[in-house]
Structure formats: structure tokens, C-alpha cells
Amino acid sequence: MSLPPPIVLSFAASDPSGGAGIQADILTLAGMGCHPLTVLTAVTVQDTTGVEDIFVMDPEWVIDQARTVLQDMPVQAFKIGMLGSVEIVAAIAEVISDYPDIPLVLDPVLASSRGDMFANEEVISAMREMLFSQATIITPNSIEARRIALDHEDDLEILNLKQSADQLLQWGCSYVLIKGAHENTPQVVNVLYDVNGIVRSDAWQRLPGSFHGSGCTLSSAIAASLAHGMSITDSVYEAQEFTWHTLKAGFRPGMGQYIPDRFFWMESDNLEEEADGSDD
């Protein structure tokens, strides 16, 4: 018997399209050599064009799901996605507080890429108060970073991204990675901050198309890298590289957005094997 792979526990909503949410986490974690554990926070009705409805789980069910698997298996990282309610924020905060040494990646999913809202101001406030201080890294896009940092949505353009990161760090997280896909820049620039300022900045070629689940992929990939024992800076870079390649290999299975191919590397391996075989 071989040793088990690193184990990552993801708290997230179910996406029946397989593009985002818990399904994206499972595919990403498996694609990066981890064993995924899953705790459902909500069930959604959605496809690649958008979200039609959300059923939020009872917080006691969230706690029971998590406690059951955590009593059975040790985990090397936590990842949190869509939360759904203040009560679920409190439930998850209670669970993870018992594991202060386990790295936590928090992806503050506030809306779908189409703009369907997942979190109101009460949920955002609860995240700030109960989860940020427990997070190793928070991974908002630029829109989410500004919205979380400010109390009033009308003021979103006032803060620059450095100011937004500074505000998020004041709530206690160790690192903030602000994703720049929504910024008007030639390349996508993702910047990692800590209390001392910029830790690293990485620029990536913008790819054509609109993608469903890119944020879930990136945050899960960071969790996977941390579970493998990488440093935070190396984890952030490796996760970005993995995510960019999933987007480059993305496919459009339906009438809406493209879905990242989290097993892009299998196609590359197959091509290499075919090439090797042709030399025989």
C-alpha cells in the first residue's frame, strides 16, 4: 500500500455544470495530486450561462459534514468558496478554529461571473469578522477586493488595489492575492500582498473568451500546493501557472462560458507518449 496523497478539505457550493464550485475544487485538487474532501454549503441551479437558484444548507449539516470527515482523516489544507449565509460563515469559523495550524485559503465568492449575487453585506461582514483572521490567504478579484474593503458600494472606485489589500490585511489574514482579470490592463496582473507590501506580482497573457470557474480553480490550486508543503509564494505562482494552462486548454461544452480543463496535462502526456511510440 502506498502512502495517501495530501488531503484538502473544501467548503463550497455544488455546481451541476461542473465548471465552478465544489466540482471545480474536486477536479483541481485531483489534477494536482491531492485527495479532495468536500463539505457542501449550498446547492445551486446553474449552467454555463448563469445561476438560476440557490438552496443554502442548514449550518448544522455543514458542521456535521466537516466534523465527520475531520475525525476520520487528517487534512493538510482547507479551502473555502461560496458560503451562502451568516450562519454558515459562523459554522465554518467554529470548525476551522480547532485547526489553527492548517493553512486556509479563502476565496470570497461574492457573485458569479455573470453577476448573480452570492453574498449580501451581512455575509461579507461576517466573513471579515469571523474568517479573515483565520485565513492564510484570501484570493479576491479586484472587484471583490474593493467591495469587501469598503462599506458602501458607491465608493468602489475610490480605493486602489494596494489600499484595498491593506484594508483586508487589517482584518487579520496573512496574505491577500488580488486577481487582475477585471482590470483594464494588457496582461492579467495578479499581485500578492502582506502587511509589508507587495510580495510578488505575476503577469499573464490574456486569453480570449469568458471562463466559468477560474477563481475556484486558482484558490483550490493554491490549497493543493500548500498541502504539498510548498511555501506561500511558491504556491501562489504554481497555482497561477496551473490555472493559466487550464484556461488555455479550456473548452465550451454548452451555450455559455468556457470551462477550464483541469486535466490539460493528461493530453500533453498522451501526445508525448504518442511521439515516443512513433520513434520505435
Side-chain angles (χ1 to χ4, degrees):
M1 293 286 184
S2 60
L3 292 173
I7 298 174
V8 178
L9 172 57
S10 172
F11 298 86
S14 174
D15 172 9
S17 79
I22 207 82
Q23 286 84 346
D25 297 344
I26 292 170
L27 290 167
T28 301
L29 293 170
M32 294 193 69
C34 291
H35 178 68
L37 307 182
T38 60
V39 172
L40 282 183
T41 58
V43 177
T44 68
V45 178
Q46 66 176 300
D47 56 18
T48 59
T49 65
V51 180
E52 302 303 325
D53 206 354
I54 300 172
F55 174 80
V56 177
M57 300 294 289
D58 184 297
E60 289 301 320
W61 274 70
V62 172
I63 291 174
D64 289 346
Q65 289 177 81
R67 294 287 190 206
T68 300
V69 292
L70 286 168
Q71 289 167 9
D72 182 43
M73 290 174 275
V75 302
Q76 282 70 55
F78 291 116
K79 184 263 176 173
I80 298 176
M82 197 194 97
L83 293 162
S85 73
V86 171
E87 292 76 17
I88 287 178
V89 174
I92 294 174
E94 176 188 329
V95 170
I96 62 175
S97 67
D98 291 337
Y99 303 87
D101 297 327
I102 305 298
L104 167 63
V105 180
L106 172 58
D107 183 16
V109 183
L110 306 186
S112 72
S113 50
R114 186 177 71 171
D116 310 288
M117 299 307 298
F118 291 150
N120 58 26
E121 294 305 317
E122 287 75 20
V123 172
I124 293 172
S125 179
M127 283 194 288
R128 292 187 195 118
E129 295 174 9
M130 291 185 268
L131 289 178
F132 277 31
S133 62
Q134 301 192 66
T136 306
I137 182 171
I138 299 175
T139 62
N141 61 42
S142 57
I143 296 172
E144 292 165 337
R146 290 187 176 100
R147 183 179 170 200
I148 294 169
L150 287 167
D151 292 329
H152 301 288
E153 225 175 312
D154 294 340
D155 298 330
L156 289 184
E157 297 305 318
I158 294 176
L159 289 184
N160 63 38
L161 295 182
K162 172 64 166 60
Q163 291 170 323
S164 299
D166 288 343
Q167 181 59 63
L168 269 59
L169 287 160
Q170 287 184 21
W171 282 305
C173 59
S174 299
Y175 296 90
V176 174
L177 176 67
I178 298 185
K179 301 170 290 189
H182 293 88
E183 298 298 289
N184 186 23
T185 54
Q187 295 177 297
V188 175
V189 181
N190 302 323
V191 184
L192 179 68
Y193 300 88
D194 68 6
V195 292
N196 297 311
I198 295 176
V199 177
R200 69 174 304 139
S201 177
D202 299 291
W204 302 89
Q205 176 190 349
R206 283 192 180 273
L207 298 168
S210 175
F211 295 93
H212 181 51
S214 57
C216 303
T217 304
L218 178 59
S219 54
S220 293
I222 294 173
S225 298
L226 290 170
H228 278 291
M230 294 184 187
S231 68
I232 189 69
T233 53
D234 289 344
S235 294
V236 166
Y237 180 79
E238 290 295 325
Q240 289 180 82
E241 184 172 46
F242 177 87
T243 301
W244 188 85
H245 282 289
T246 69
L247 302 181
K248 184 181 179 184
F251 54 96
R252 188 169 183 250
M255 296 181 288
Q257 296 175 300
Y258 285 80
I259 288 178
D261 183 358
R262 288 96 178 183
F263 288 90
F264 67 89
W265 48 268
M266 291 185 67
E267 183 64 27
S268 300
D269 290 346
N270 290 337
L271 291 174
E272 289 178 6
E273 289 176 5
E274 292 174 6
D276 291 342
S278 64
D279 293 333
D280 294 339

